[in-house]
Amino acid sequence: MSTDLSSQVLNCPQLLAAVEELIESGFLGVQVRVNDKRGEWVGGAGVRELGGSAEALTNGHFRIGSSTKSFVATSVLLLVAEGRIGLDVPAAGYLPEFGLDRRITVRMLLQHTSGIFNHTGELYEDGTVVFGVPWQGKEWVDNRFRTYLPEELVRLSLSRPARFAPGTGWSYANTNYVLARLVVERVTGRPFAEEVQRLVLGPLGMTGTRAPGASPEVPEPHNHGYYRYEDAGRERTVDVTRQNPTWVGAGGDMISTTRDLHTYFSALMGGRLLPAELLAEMRTPEATVGYGLGVFAQDTGAGTVFHHNGATMGSAALMYGAPDGSTTLTAGLTWVDDADLSIAPAFQAAQQRFVDAVFCGKLGR
C-alpha cells in the first residue's frame, strides 16, 4: 500500500480497508483520491503490471469507461447555455440523416429515455440477450484495434426494434451518447475532442484527460489492464491497455486521472461549470434508477451523493461527489477482465464500501 498524504495527514482506516479488499478480491491496481474540506488523501495498492513487482501508480492515466457520459452531458448542457442546442428539441433536427423518431429529444438521449437499442447489446427482462458489436471473448480480442465509425454504431442500433416508445421508459444505452456527441459535433462543426477541451478541460486546467478517438494509446504513466479468454480450448490472457475504444464510442472512450476527475466533478457539483438552472436539470433524476442527465443520484444515510462510474476492458473509474462539490471520491482500477465479468460483484461491493467510508461519516479520521 502506498500513500501520498497532501494538505493534511488524514487517517482513513475504512478507506484503507476497502482498498485492500479490492486487491484481495482480484484487482491488480487501485488508485484512490479523496478530497474534502479537511484536505486530500491519495493512495494506491497492488501492482502496475500482471506478474510484476512495481507498485501501482497513485496518479496514473486510465480508461474511465462510462464516466465519459458525464463529460458528454456537460458539454451538451454548456452548448444549451450558449443557445446552440435545445434540450427539449427533437434530436432528428440536428441529425436528419438517421431518420430518428421525432419524439426523441436531446434530453431523452442524455437521460436514457429514448428507447433506442443499445449498440453494445441488450439484456431483456425475460433473460433474452440480443448482441450488438462484439465486446466479449476471442472475437473482441481479435478485433480490438478495429475502428467503428459513430454512424455505423447508430445505424446498427436503429436496425433493431426500439425497446419502448420515446419517453415511456428507461434503458441504459451507449448509443444515446454516441448520438449526443454527434449533436455536439454537428452544431459546432468541430470534433468533440476540441469542443470538450474548449468547454471543460481547458477552463479547468485538466491536462490529463482526453477523448482519444480511434487512438489505442493510454498516455504514460499508467497501470495495465488485461483480458482473459478462451481460444481453441485454451485459456489466454492478453494485455488490453492498448485498444481502439471506438466500439463503445462516446458511451465510454475517455481517459483521465484521479486528480482530473476530482477537479472536474468538484467544479461541476460546486456550480462552477454549469448555470444553476442547468445543473438542477442535470441532477433531477428519473424515477427508475435515479439517472439525471449524465449523472446518477444515490441516496445514502448522509444524504444524496451524485456519481457516474464507468468500466471498460480491464479498467474502471469511480467518480463521486457531494452536492456542493466539497467532498469527492475518485478512483482508477485495473484488473484481469473476462467474458463472464466475474469480478463485477466485487467491484459493486467496493463501490458501496467507498461511499460508506467517504460520505457516510465512517472515515475514523
Side-chain angles (χ1 to χ4, degrees):
M1 172 86 56
S2 58
T3 57
D4 172 17
L5 303 178
S6 307
S7 301
Q8 298 181 36
V9 177
L10 304 175
N11 179 28
C12 310
Q14 294 290 335
L15 188 57
L16 289 169
V19 172
E20 290 167 352
E21 179 183 296
L22 276 170
I23 297 302
E24 291 169 1
S25 63
F27 284 83
L28 289 176
V30 179
Q31 47 189 321
V32 181
R33 183 179 301 268
V34 175
N35 291 80
D36 68 14
K37 294 175 181 177
R38 292 166 289 182
E40 179 177 74
W41 182 90
V42 181
V47 293
R48 187 169 175 176
E49 297 184 58
L50 183 64
S53 58
E55 288 187 344
L57 297 161
T58 58
N59 196 42
H61 297 85
F62 52 93
R63 299 187 185 277
I64 66 172
S66 285
S67 301
T68 299
K69 293 181 175 71
S70 182
F71 287 91
V72 175
T74 296
S75 299
V76 169
L77 291 172
L78 285 167
L79 289 169
V80 170
E82 292 181 358
R84 303 173 76 177
I85 293 177
L87 195 53
D88 294 304
V89 168
Y94 300 107
L95 304 170
E97 66 271 27
F98 295 121
L100 293 170
D101 187 322
R102 290 195 63 83
R103 293 174 293 177
I104 297 173
T105 64
V106 173
R107 181 191 300 273
M108 290 177 190
L109 297 179
L110 299 184
Q111 199 152 38
H112 295 299
T113 56
S114 71
I116 288 173
F117 179 92
N118 184 4
H119 73 264
T120 52
E122 291 280 10
L123 173 63
Y124 289 86
E125 288 76 10
D126 63 359
T128 302
V129 177
V130 179
F131 294 101
V133 297
W135 61 272
Q136 290 179 310
K138 184 177 186 299
E139 186 177 9
W140 178 77
V141 171
D142 290 346
N143 289 280
R144 69 188 184 277
F145 297 112
R146 172 181 169 179
T147 295
Y148 291 89
L149 297 177
E151 295 79 6
E152 181 180 0
L153 304 179
V154 172
R155 295 193 187 282
L156 184 156
S157 291
L158 297 179
S159 71
R160 309 288 174 81
R163 292 208 60 160
F164 46 79
T168 65
W170 186 89
S171 181
Y172 193 88
N174 290 305
T175 318
N176 286 318
Y177 276 77
V178 174
L179 285 162
R181 186 181 285 184
L182 285 172
V183 170
V184 169
E185 294 183 337
R186 183 62 53 86
V187 301
T188 63
R190 290 154 51 94
F192 177 75
E194 295 181 12
E195 203 58 17
V196 74
Q197 178 67 35
R198 178 183 77 87
L199 293 167
V200 179
L201 310 184
L204 294 181
M206 295 171 60
T207 59
T209 303
R210 63 203 63 198
S215 171
E217 308 300 333
V218 176
E220 294 286 358
H222 59 258
N223 298 326
H224 287 248
Y226 299 83
Y227 189 77
R228 181 172 56 245
Y229 66 105
E230 188 175 298
D231 181 10
R234 297 182 59 187
E235 185 177 275
R236 300 181 185 276
T237 300
V238 60
D239 188 327
V240 294
T241 309
R242 296 183 68 255
Q243 58 174 274
N244 183 328
T246 56
W247 64 273
V248 68
D253 62 359
M254 289 180 70
I255 294 165
S256 193
T257 65
T258 60
R259 185 186 303 278
D260 266 14
L261 292 182
H262 154 67
T263 297
Y264 164 70
F265 217 52
S266 176
L268 179 64
M269 292 296 107
R272 300 191 300 278
L273 264 179
L274 291 174
E277 65 275 13
L278 288 176
L279 179 60
E281 295 268 16
M282 173 182 251
R283 301 203 303 197
T284 301
E286 51 73 48
T288 308
V289 297
Y291 198 89
L293 307 180
V295 294
F296 286 91
Q298 178 178 338
D299 292 330
T300 73
T304 301
V305 173
F306 293 94
H307 68 88
H308 207 310
N309 303 325
T312 188
M313 303 306 183
S315 179
L318 301 181
M319 183 171 68
Y320 288 89
D324 63 356
S326 62
T327 300
T328 62
L329 160 69
T330 57
L333 306 96
T334 49
W335 70 93
V336 180
D337 216 334
D338 59 31
D340 295 329
L341 305 178
S342 58
I343 208 164
F347 182 43
Q348 293 169 359
Q351 291 176 53
Q352 190 56 53
R353 285 284 304 276
F354 279 129
V355 170
D356 288 345
V358 176
F359 295 98
C360 298
K362 298 181 181 178
L363 270 181
R365 57 188 210 187

